[in-house]
Amino acid sequence: MIKQTKQHNRIKVDKDIDALMRKQWRLSSRLGILVIIVVFSFPFLNHFAFDLMTTPILGGFTIAYLAASLLIYPFIWTIAIIYTKKSIKLEEEA
Amino acid sequence: MRDQVPILAVTLAFLLVFVNIFIAVYMSRRTATAKDYFVAGGKVKAFPTASAMSGDYLSAASFLGVAGIVFMSGFDGVWYAFGFFVGFIFLLMFIATPLKKFGQYTIPDFVAARFNSSKARFVGVLCVLSIILFYIAPQMLGVGKVLALFLNLEYKTAVISSIIVITLYVSIGGMKGTTLNQVIQFWLMATAMLAVCIVALSKGMTYPRILEGIAAFKGSIPGTDVLFDGSKWVNPGGWLDLKDSISLLFALCFGTAGLPHILVRFYTSKSGSSAKWLVILVLFFIGMFYITSPYVGAAIRYAFINGDMLPMNQLISSLMTDGRNLAVPVAGEFFGGELLLGIVVAGAIAAVLSTVAGLLLTASGALGHDVYTTVINTKATEKQRIRAGKISVIIMGIVAGTLGIMVENMQIAVLVGLAFAVAGSTFFPILFLGIWWKGMTCKGAITGLLTGLISSIVLIIFASYMPSFLQFENPALITIPLSFLTIYVVSKIDGQVPENVNEFMYKLHGPEQVTK
C-alpha cells in the first residue's frame, strides 16, 4: 500500500511521514492478514473438509462448532492485545 | 397476544425508561457546547466509553436476533455472532487510533477534511443516513415484537411509543446523557443474557450435551407437526452455502469498521492510545456476550425438540410463529419464569434503546452538524447548533418509527446484516484507504462512496431480478471489493491528490496533538 503511494508522481514525498506510516502499516497488515486467513479459512474448511470439520470432539461439539462458537474469541482477544501493546510501543518510539 | 400481562416485565420496562429520561434531563444541564452535545466533550474515560460502545453495538440484532437465528438455522446462525465479534479487530488495527487523532464530530467531517471537499461531505452524509435507516428499522422491529407479545400491545403502538421515548431522551440528553444511559443499558442486557445462560446451565443443559441431543434428533417436534433434522442444524451449510457464508462474513467483518454510530464513539475517547484500549475492552465485553447468545439459541432449540415445553402452549406458539425474533424472551420465560422474562424484556428494550439512541445521535450529527452548521448556517451559535441537533433527532425519530412499522414481517439479524453490507461498502473503503493510502483523490472517494452505496442497495432490493451469480443473502462479497476497486482506479486516473495530504497523514499517524 505504501509502495503504491511512492510511485504516484503527483504526491509530495515526505520521508518522515512515509516511514512512520510504513512502520504502522507493517504491524497492522501482518496481524490483519493473519486474522483474515484464520477467519475466512473456516467457511472454506467447512465446505472442502466437511467430514473433518463435522467430526464430534467434545460431546455434541464438532470442530466447526467449537471453533466458531468458542475458540475464535480467545484468538481474537490475544491478537488484539498483541497489536495494542506493539502499536503503543511503536508510537512511543516515534 | 398473551392471556396475562407479566407485571414484573412491565414494571422493569417502565423503571428503565424512567431512569433513562431522568439521566437525560440531568445531563442536559451539563451540555453547554455543541462538542458536549455531539461527542460528550471528547473526554469520556475508557470503561464508560467501552460500555456505551458495546451498548451501541449490541442491538436488537445481537440481543434477540443472534439467538433467534441460531434457534432457526443452527450452525449457520453462529456466523452472525462470529462476524459481529471479529469485525472489531479490523476497526482496532486499521481505523480506531487515526480516527481519534483526527478528532472532529462526524465521519463526513473526516471525508470532507481528507479531501478538502464539501461535495465529499455531502455524499458522506447521504451514506450515513442510508446506513442508519437500514440499521434503525430492525431495531424498531425488535422492540415492536417484544412489547407486542409480552405487554399485549399492538405492533404499531409498541413501535410508536418506543420511538417517542427514545427521541425524547436523546434530543434532551445529547451524547453525554446518551452515553450514561448506554452504560446502564449495556450492563442490563449483558446481565439478562448471562442470567438466562446460568439458569439454563443450572438445569443441566451444558453446551456439549444440548448439541449432542440436537444432532441426534430426527422427526417431528413434540406438540407440533414440524419435521426437524438435528444433524443438518448442527452442521454448516444448512442455510448458507459457501458463497453466502463468505459474503456474510465479509459484510459483518468489514461492515463493523464502517458503522458511523460506532466510529463516532472514538471521538468521545480521551486519546489515540485510550481508543486502542477502548476497543480491547469492547472486544471483551461483546465477546462474552456473543459466546452466550448462540448458547441460548441452542438451549431453547433443545428444550423445544425435547418436548420440555409441552405444557406451555403459549411458548410453543411463539416459537412456531416468530422464533427467529422471540427465542430469547421465550427462553427467559421457559427457564426462569416471570422473573427472568421480566429481566429479558427489560434487556431487549435496553438493547433497542441504546442502539437507536446512538443511531439518532449520529444522524443528528450528520444533519445538525454536517448539513446545518457547515452548509446552511456557517455562523451558527452554540445554542443554534445544539437546537439543530435536537430538531434532527426528532426528524430522524419520525422516519425511524415509520420504517419500523413497514418492516413488521422481516428478520432482525438479516436486516442488520444488510446495514453492515452498506457500511462495509461505503465508509470502510473510504476510511481504510483514506488513512493508509496517500494517493486517494476526492473524485476517487466520491465515486467509491456512491458505487458502494448504490451497488449494495441495488443488490439488496433487486436481488431476485439479478443473474444467479449476483444473488446473495448479503451482497458484501461483490460490493466491498467493487468499492475498493473503483476508488483505486478513479484515483489513479484522476491523480489530483490533495495538496495537504502529508500534513493530514501526519495528524493521523504522528504523535498526538502535534502538527507539523
Side-chain angles (χ1 to χ4, degrees):
Chain A
M1 182 107 0
I2 304 301
K3 277 180 187 172
Q4 289 165 354
T5 66
K6 282 181 130 182
Q7 289 162 359
H8 202 293
N9 57 16
R10 299 189 199 191
I11 303 168
K12 284 185 213 163
V13 174
D14 184 318
K15 284 180 182 172
D16 293 345
I17 294 166
D18 290 348
L20 196 63
M21 284 177 71
R22 198 175 299 118
K23 277 184 188 172
Q24 292 176 1
W25 172 253
R26 205 175 294 143
L27 174 65
S28 295
S29 61
R30 281 178 184 172
L31 289 172
I33 287 168
L34 174 67
V35 173
I36 286 173
I37 290 171
V38 170
V39 165
F40 285 92
S41 68
F42 282 121
F44 283 102
L45 284 170
N46 289 342
H47 187 77
F48 294 108
F50 184 83
D51 291 341
L52 172 72
M53 295 302 281
T54 55
T55 309
I57 50 168
L58 178 66
F61 269 118
T62 60
I63 295 173
Y65 213 111
L66 189 67
S69 66
L70 293 177
L71 298 182
I72 189 68
Y73 295 92
F75 169 72
I76 295 290
W77 287 330
T78 308
I79 296 285
I81 290 169
I82 291 171
Y83 167 78
T84 299
K85 284 189 171 176
K86 285 195 172 187
S87 67
I88 287 174
K89 197 178 165 193
L90 204 66
E91 284 193 18
E92 284 169 355
E93 288 168 3
Chain B
M1 291 281 177
R2 297 166 64 88
D3 304 332
Q4 274 188 317
V5 175
I7 300 299
L8 189 68
V10 178
T11 310
L12 284 173
F14 272 101
L15 190 65
L16 176 68
V17 168
F18 175 76
V19 169
N20 288 159
I21 292 174
F22 175 80
I23 287 172
V25 172
Y26 177 74
M27 294 309 282
S28 68
R29 294 174 192 165
R30 297 182 170 207
T31 301
T33 65
K35 191 170 186 180
D36 287 339
Y37 189 82
F38 291 116
V39 292
K43 288 178 181 171
V44 185
K45 289 180 180 171
F47 188 85
T49 305
S51 302
M53 191 187 258
S54 304
D56 240 342
Y57 193 61
L58 297 177
S59 63
S62 296
F63 192 84
L64 300 171
V66 167
I69 208 157
V70 170
F71 169 78
M72 292 296 288
S73 308
F75 179 89
D76 285 349
V78 176
W79 282 136
Y80 276 87
F82 181 101
F84 283 144
F85 171 72
V86 169
F88 255 92
I89 193 84
F90 297 108
L91 194 56
L92 169 68
M93 291 193 287
F94 296 104
I95 312 280
T97 304
L99 200 61
K100 171 56 200 167
K101 286 181 181 174
F102 168 69
Q104 286 287 325
Y105 296 103
T106 66
I107 302 308
D109 270 340
F110 177 90
V111 181
R114 173 71 173 81
F115 305 105
N116 306 311
S117 162
S118 53
K119 273 185 197 166
R121 180 191 292 279
F122 177 75
V123 178
V125 169
L126 198 67
C127 293
V128 167
L129 295 179
S130 303
I131 294 164
I132 285 173
L133 293 181
F134 264 101
Y135 211 108
I136 218 162
Q139 312 307 321
M140 301 320 301
L141 169 64
V143 76
K145 291 283 180 185
V146 169
L147 293 185
L149 183 70
F150 291 96
L151 305 188
N152 275 359
L153 293 173
E154 288 290 329
Y155 175 79
K156 278 183 190 172
T157 313
V159 168
I160 292 168
S161 52
S162 309
I163 197 66
I164 288 173
V165 169
I166 304 168
T167 307
L168 184 70
Y169 87 70
V170 173
S171 63
I172 294 171
M175 184 60 102
K176 278 192 171 178
T178 302
T179 299
L180 190 51
N181 274 326
Q182 284 173 327
V183 173
I184 295 167
Q185 288 154 355
F186 165 70
W187 286 107
L188 176 61
M189 69 177 111
T191 306
M193 192 59 81
L194 196 63
V196 177
C197 286
I198 291 170
V199 176
L201 284 168
S202 72
K203 294 178 187 273
M205 296 182 80
T206 64
Y207 216 155
R209 189 186 146 205
I210 58 175
L211 290 179
E212 198 170 23
I214 294 170
F217 186 93
K218 189 168 186 178
S220 59
I221 296 171
T224 74
D225 53 2
V226 177
L227 291 172
F228 179 75
D229 183 351
S231 63
K232 282 188 180 165
W233 189 95
V234 295
N235 287 330
W239 170 42
L240 299 172
D241 59 16
L242 178 64
K243 181 186 80 170
D244 279 322
S245 301
I246 293 171
S247 197
L248 178 67
L249 276 183
F250 244 74
L252 302 182
C253 288
F254 302 124
T256 302
L259 290 176
H261 67 297
I262 299 299
L263 294 167
V264 78
R265 277 274 160 208
F266 292 111
Y267 295 147
T268 68
S269 65
K270 286 173 103 173
S271 64
S273 60
S274 78
K276 286 193 179 92
W277 288 112
L278 161 70
V279 179
I280 299 273
L281 267 179
V282 174
L283 275 167
F284 274 101
F285 290 166
I286 65 170
M288 295 311 294
F289 187 89
Y290 285 126
I291 288 173
T292 52
S293 70
Y295 165 77
V296 170
I300 199 69
R301 168 58 72 183
Y302 178 72
F304 188 38
I305 60 171
N306 223 21
D308 299 345
M309 286 184 184
L310 273 180
M312 307 163 92
N313 286 333
Q314 206 161 22
L315 296 187
I316 293 176
S317 160
S318 297
L319 287 177
M320 290 289 288
T321 52
D322 205 4
R324 58 192 178 166
N325 293 322
L326 294 172
V328 179
V330 168
E333 187 165 9
F334 174 72
F335 291 121
E338 198 182 323
L339 174 65
L340 200 50
L341 171 67
I343 295 170
V344 165
V345 170
I349 294 170
V352 173
L353 292 181
S354 61
T355 303
V356 174
L359 292 167
L360 288 181
L361 259 180
T362 310
S364 86
L367 291 174
H369 171 71
D370 289 309
V371 175
Y372 178 75
T373 311
T374 59
V375 180
I376 298 173
N377 183 4
T378 50
K379 292 176 184 171
T381 61
E382 290 288 341
K383 272 190 175 179
Q384 285 175 319
R385 294 169 74 180
I386 294 173
R387 197 187 308 138
K390 289 181 176 182
I391 292 169
S392 305
V393 170
I394 294 167
I395 293 170
M396 287 306 292
I398 293 167
V399 176
T402 312
L403 271 179
I405 292 167
M406 288 165 63
V407 296
E408 184 179 352
N409 296 314
M410 297 186 79
Q411 153 99 46
I412 297 169
V414 172
L415 278 173
V416 166
L418 298 177
F420 273 67
V422 181
S425 311
T426 53
F427 285 126
F428 175 62
I430 289 295
L431 289 171
F432 183 88
L433 292 175
I435 287 169
W436 294 102
W437 185 38
K438 282 163 61 176
M440 187 175 172
T441 70
C442 182
K443 282 181 185 165
I446 291 174
T447 320
L449 275 172
L450 288 173
T451 303
L453 181 67
I454 293 166
S455 62
S456 50
I457 290 177
V458 166
L459 287 182
I460 288 166
I461 295 175
F462 301 105
S464 55
Y465 300 101
M466 294 290 158
S468 61
F469 71 96
L470 285 178
Q471 286 184 5
F472 291 86
E473 290 286 337
N474 188 306
L477 185 60
I478 298 287
T479 55
I480 293 177
L482 183 65
S483 178
F484 269 99
L485 187 68
T486 306
I487 293 167
Y488 182 77
V489 170
V490 175
S491 295
K492 280 287 180 188
I493 294 168
D494 176 33
Q496 300 299 313
V497 177
E499 279 290 319
N500 65 343
V501 66
N502 284 322
E503 287 77 6
F504 194 86
M505 287 301 184
Y506 195 78
K507 193 176 182 182
L508 300 186
H509 297 278
E512 220 152 348
Q513 293 179 337
V514 178
T515 48
K516 202 178 179 188

Short mmCIF file of all heavy atoms in Angstrom, two decimals, chain B residues 252-279:
data_model
loop_
_atom_site.label_atom_id
_atom_site.label_comp_id
_atom_site.label_asym_id
_atom_site.label_seq_id
_atom_site.Cartn_x
_atom_site.Cartn_y
_atom_site.Cartn_z
N LEU B 252 -20.08 -8.61 7.74
CA LEU B 252 -20.01 -8.42 9.19
C LEU B 252 -18.61 -7.99 9.64
O LEU B 252 -18.47 -7.14 10.52
CB LEU B 252 -20.43 -9.71 9.91
CG LEU B 252 -21.85 -10.22 9.59
CD1 LEU B 252 -22.18 -11.47 10.39
CD2 LEU B 252 -22.90 -9.15 9.84
N CYS B 253 -17.57 -8.57 9.04
CA CYS B 253 -16.20 -8.24 9.44
C CYS B 253 -15.83 -6.81 9.05
O CYS B 253 -15.27 -6.06 9.84
CB CYS B 253 -15.20 -9.20 8.80
SG CYS B 253 -15.28 -10.84 9.50
N PHE B 254 -16.14 -6.44 7.80
CA PHE B 254 -15.70 -5.13 7.33
C PHE B 254 -16.77 -4.05 7.53
O PHE B 254 -16.46 -2.86 7.55
CB PHE B 254 -15.26 -5.22 5.86
CG PHE B 254 -14.16 -6.21 5.67
CD1 PHE B 254 -14.28 -7.27 4.76
CD2 PHE B 254 -12.99 -6.13 6.42
CE1 PHE B 254 -13.26 -8.20 4.61
CE2 PHE B 254 -11.97 -7.07 6.26
CZ PHE B 254 -12.11 -8.11 5.36
N GLY B 255 -18.01 -4.48 7.67
CA GLY B 255 -19.09 -3.51 7.92
C GLY B 255 -18.95 -2.85 9.27
O GLY B 255 -19.25 -1.66 9.42
N THR B 256 -18.45 -3.59 10.26
CA THR B 256 -18.28 -3.01 11.59
C THR B 256 -17.39 -1.77 11.52
O THR B 256 -17.64 -0.77 12.20
CB THR B 256 -17.62 -4.05 12.54
OG1 THR B 256 -18.46 -5.20 12.56
CG2 THR B 256 -17.47 -3.50 13.94
N ALA B 257 -16.34 -1.87 10.71
CA ALA B 257 -15.40 -0.76 10.59
C ALA B 257 -15.96 0.39 9.75
O ALA B 257 -15.26 1.36 9.48
CB ALA B 257 -14.08 -1.25 10.00
N GLY B 258 -17.21 0.27 9.34
CA GLY B 258 -17.82 1.36 8.57
C GLY B 258 -19.10 1.87 9.20
O GLY B 258 -19.80 2.68 8.59
N LEU B 259 -19.40 1.40 10.41
CA LEU B 259 -20.66 1.84 11.04
C LEU B 259 -20.49 3.22 11.67
O LEU B 259 -19.73 3.38 12.63
CB LEU B 259 -21.08 0.83 12.13
CG LEU B 259 -21.56 -0.54 11.65
CD1 LEU B 259 -21.83 -1.44 12.85
CD2 LEU B 259 -22.81 -0.42 10.79
N PRO B 260 -21.20 4.22 11.16
CA PRO B 260 -20.93 5.58 11.65
C PRO B 260 -21.21 5.77 13.14
O PRO B 260 -20.51 6.52 13.80
CB PRO B 260 -21.87 6.45 10.79
CG PRO B 260 -22.84 5.52 10.16
CD PRO B 260 -22.21 4.19 10.10
N HIS B 261 -22.23 5.08 13.69
CA HIS B 261 -22.54 5.30 15.10
C HIS B 261 -21.51 4.67 16.02
O HIS B 261 -21.38 5.05 17.19
CB HIS B 261 -23.96 4.83 15.44
CG HIS B 261 -24.17 3.35 15.36
ND1 HIS B 261 -24.03 2.65 14.19
CD2 HIS B 261 -24.50 2.44 16.30
CE1 HIS B 261 -24.28 1.38 14.42
NE2 HIS B 261 -24.55 1.22 15.69
N ILE B 262 -20.75 3.69 15.51
CA ILE B 262 -19.67 3.10 16.30
C ILE B 262 -18.41 3.96 16.12
O ILE B 262 -17.71 4.28 17.09
CB ILE B 262 -19.38 1.65 15.83
CG1 ILE B 262 -20.63 0.78 16.02
CG2 ILE B 262 -18.18 1.05 16.55
CD1 ILE B 262 -21.11 0.66 17.46
N LEU B 263 -18.13 4.35 14.88
CA LEU B 263 -16.93 5.15 14.60
C LEU B 263 -16.93 6.47 15.38
O LEU B 263 -15.90 6.90 15.89
CB LEU B 263 -16.84 5.44 13.10
CG LEU B 263 -16.61 4.21 12.20
CD1 LEU B 263 -16.86 4.56 10.74
CD2 LEU B 263 -15.20 3.67 12.38
N VAL B 264 -18.11 7.08 15.48
CA VAL B 264 -18.18 8.39 16.14
C VAL B 264 -17.81 8.29 17.62
O VAL B 264 -17.37 9.26 18.24
CB VAL B 264 -19.59 9.01 15.93
CG1 VAL B 264 -20.61 8.39 16.87
CG2 VAL B 264 -19.56 10.52 16.12
N ARG B 265 -17.91 7.09 18.17
CA ARG B 265 -17.57 6.87 19.58
C ARG B 265 -16.09 7.15 19.85
O ARG B 265 -15.73 7.52 20.97
CB ARG B 265 -17.86 5.42 19.97
CG ARG B 265 -19.29 5.20 20.34
CD ARG B 265 -19.52 5.53 21.78
NE ARG B 265 -20.93 5.78 22.02
CZ ARG B 265 -21.39 6.57 22.97
NH1 ARG B 265 -20.56 7.20 23.76
NH2 ARG B 265 -22.67 6.73 23.13
N PHE B 266 -15.24 6.97 18.82
CA PHE B 266 -13.81 7.21 19.05
C PHE B 266 -13.54 8.69 19.32
O PHE B 266 -12.57 9.03 19.96
CB PHE B 266 -12.99 6.70 17.86
CG PHE B 266 -13.00 5.21 17.76
CD1 PHE B 266 -13.65 4.58 16.73
CD2 PHE B 266 -12.40 4.44 18.75
CE1 PHE B 266 -13.70 3.20 16.67
CE2 PHE B 266 -12.44 3.07 18.69
CZ PHE B 266 -13.09 2.44 17.64
N TYR B 267 -14.41 9.54 18.78
CA TYR B 267 -14.25 10.97 19.04
C TYR B 267 -14.50 11.30 20.51
O TYR B 267 -14.06 12.34 20.99
CB TYR B 267 -15.21 11.80 18.17
CG TYR B 267 -14.94 11.70 16.68
CD1 TYR B 267 -15.99 11.76 15.77
CD2 TYR B 267 -13.65 11.61 16.18
CE1 TYR B 267 -15.77 11.71 14.40
CE2 TYR B 267 -13.42 11.55 14.81
CZ TYR B 267 -14.48 11.60 13.92
OH TYR B 267 -14.25 11.54 12.58
N THR B 268 -15.26 10.44 21.21
CA THR B 268 -15.56 10.73 22.61
C THR B 268 -14.46 10.25 23.55
O THR B 268 -14.45 10.60 24.71
CB THR B 268 -16.90 10.08 23.06
OG1 THR B 268 -16.73 8.65 23.09
CG2 THR B 268 -18.04 10.42 22.14
N SER B 269 -13.52 9.42 23.06
CA SER B 269 -12.47 8.92 23.95
C SER B 269 -11.39 9.97 24.11
O SER B 269 -11.30 10.93 23.34
CB SER B 269 -11.90 7.60 23.42
OG SER B 269 -11.27 7.81 22.21
N LYS B 270 -10.54 9.77 25.12
CA LYS B 270 -9.62 10.85 25.51
C LYS B 270 -8.40 10.99 24.59
O LYS B 270 -7.91 12.08 24.37
CB LYS B 270 -9.13 10.61 26.93
CG LYS B 270 -10.20 10.92 27.97
CD LYS B 270 -9.74 10.51 29.34
CE LYS B 270 -9.28 11.69 30.17
NZ LYS B 270 -8.98 11.32 31.55
N SER B 271 -7.87 9.85 24.10
CA SER B 271 -6.66 9.93 23.27
C SER B 271 -6.59 8.74 22.32
O SER B 271 -7.40 7.80 22.43
CB SER B 271 -5.43 9.91 24.18
OG SER B 271 -5.37 8.68 24.86
N GLY B 272 -5.56 8.75 21.44
CA GLY B 272 -5.40 7.66 20.49
C GLY B 272 -5.12 6.34 21.19
O GLY B 272 -5.70 5.31 20.84
N SER B 273 -4.23 6.36 22.20
CA SER B 273 -3.93 5.09 22.88
C SER B 273 -5.12 4.63 23.72
O SER B 273 -5.39 3.43 23.83
CB SER B 273 -2.67 5.22 23.75
OG SER B 273 -2.87 6.21 24.72
N SER B 274 -5.87 5.58 24.28
CA SER B 274 -7.06 5.16 25.03
C SER B 274 -8.10 4.59 24.07
O SER B 274 -8.89 3.72 24.44
CB SER B 274 -7.64 6.29 25.87
OG SER B 274 -8.37 7.18 25.07
N ALA B 275 -8.09 5.05 22.80
CA ALA B 275 -9.00 4.48 21.80
C ALA B 275 -8.67 3.00 21.57
O ALA B 275 -9.55 2.17 21.37
CB ALA B 275 -8.92 5.25 20.50
N LYS B 276 -7.37 2.65 21.61
CA LYS B 276 -6.97 1.25 21.42
C LYS B 276 -7.45 0.40 22.60
O LYS B 276 -8.04 -0.67 22.41
CB LYS B 276 -5.45 1.15 21.33
CG LYS B 276 -4.87 1.65 20.03
CD LYS B 276 -3.42 1.22 19.91
CE LYS B 276 -2.82 1.69 18.59
NZ LYS B 276 -2.17 2.98 18.66
N TRP B 277 -7.19 0.88 23.82
CA TRP B 277 -7.62 0.09 24.99
C TRP B 277 -9.14 0.03 25.07
O TRP B 277 -9.71 -0.96 25.55
CB TRP B 277 -7.03 0.68 26.28
CG TRP B 277 -5.56 0.39 26.36
CD1 TRP B 277 -4.54 1.29 26.28
CD2 TRP B 277 -4.94 -0.90 26.46
NE1 TRP B 277 -3.33 0.65 26.34
CE2 TRP B 277 -3.55 -0.70 26.45
CE3 TRP B 277 -5.42 -2.21 26.56
CZ2 TRP B 277 -2.63 -1.75 26.54
CZ3 TRP B 277 -4.52 -3.25 26.65
CH2 TRP B 277 -3.14 -3.02 26.64
N LEU B 278 -9.75 1.08 24.55
CA LEU B 278 -11.21 1.08 24.48
C LEU B 278 -11.71 -0.10 23.64
O LEU B 278 -12.62 -0.83 24.04
CB LEU B 278 -11.67 2.41 23.86
CG LEU B 278 -13.07 2.50 23.28
CD1 LEU B 278 -14.08 2.45 24.40
CD2 LEU B 278 -13.24 3.79 22.50
N VAL B 279 -11.08 -0.33 22.48
CA VAL B 279 -11.52 -1.43 21.61
C VAL B 279 -11.25 -2.78 22.28
O VAL B 279 -12.05 -3.71 22.18
CB VAL B 279 -10.85 -1.36 20.23
CG1 VAL B 279 -11.29 -2.51 19.35
CG2 VAL B 279 -11.16 -0.05 19.55
#
